[in-house]
Amino acid sequence: MRAYLIVIALLLAIFGSIAGFLFQKYASYGNNDFSTAAVTIGATTARMELRQTELEAVGSIRAARGVELSTEERGEIIAIDFSSGNLVQAGDLLITLNDKVEQASRERQVANLKLARLLYDRDKRLVGQKSIPESQYDRSKADLESAIAQLAEIEARLENKRIHAPFSGTTGITQVKVGDYVEPGTPITTLQDLSELEVDFTLPARHYPELEIGQKIKLQVAAFPDKNFKAILQALDSQVDAGTRSILLRATIQNSEGLLPGMFARLVINLGKPEQIVALPDTAVTYSLHGNTIYVIEQTPDGLSATSRVVETGESRGGRVAILSGLDAGERVVSAGQNKLFRGAMVEIDESIRF
């Protein structure tokens, strides 16, 4: 019995010592500050800005006068009178097809025309003298007119054996060579008048009321990333594409030097209607599929805290994005360090971070 009492006393002593140690340890923790440290962030103030209203689009540059040259007749090419990439004038001879048959037909028809004219002149004189019937004179007149028409037909076929430049411009790469046999429609080369270029592009039909002929357009191409070209809105299509619900537009490029038809272009249309918007640096907005958010800085009894807020964003220009709704001018917003924030986080602003 005595042994049991001794064991119980030892256990009470051991557990009492442990309990005393734990009490002193946790009592000391009670004097510590376990509050979360403030997160260091950069801040900015939302402010009102005056912006020109603009529309952005993409388009393709084309020549006001540009064609793909091809033949109307079949035959063998016997002469090429231009070089790839050369400037040619309107009416210049470019391609000649084998025209021996047409030349022979023309000579024969010229002779037939001479005979028909002689017979007509003779019958005209004789009918005036009442030496021949009117019917013979009428037949001679008809034969003359037929001969003239047949010669015109042969000369037209002969002309189709030659391809002339329809307007002044720059030729493209030659697709044929001397000796090639071509069929009607065979591509020969392209001809582009680079002195006057246009750009075709589309915009959603809802913007139609905002568009007017003569509006100024800023144009950029990948070949000249640091250069802005100028264009003027020239025409609006008379219908909306039923598939895309967009409208086709065409603008004339004013300073087109260095541009080529077919280039891809980015366009900005100035609508000439400035508006006031609330703007923030792009870095202040966190973009996601669930909505674009910002962190607004608020004063609390314990200090500054950051609260997330969903906003509607607009166009971004020059590193600043328009806030269409959800934020007022004058509110302070976190512009750097959002990745360290959480709900109800206390913040400390680092004034060295400027936006």
Side-chain angles (χ1 to χ4, degrees), residues 28 43 55 66 80 84 93 102 104 117-118 247 255-256 306 341 347:
S28 65
L55 295 176
I80 298 177
S84 299
L93 179 63
E102 287 75 14
R117 193 177 297 281
L118 287 173
I247 185 170
N255 53 334
S256 60
L341 297 178
V347 296

Side-chain angles (χ1 to χ4, degrees), residues 160-194:
N160 285 343
K161 292 289 185 175
R162 293 168 175 79
I163 298 176
H164 298 268
F167 51 83
S168 298
T170 302
T171 59
I173 300 298
T174 309
Q175 303 295 322
V176 293
K177 58 184 181 294
V178 173
D180 282 350
Y181 186 88
V182 295
E183 295 286 345
T186 300
I188 301 298
T189 188
T190 58
L191 181 64
Q192 307 288 338
D193 181 4
L194 302 182

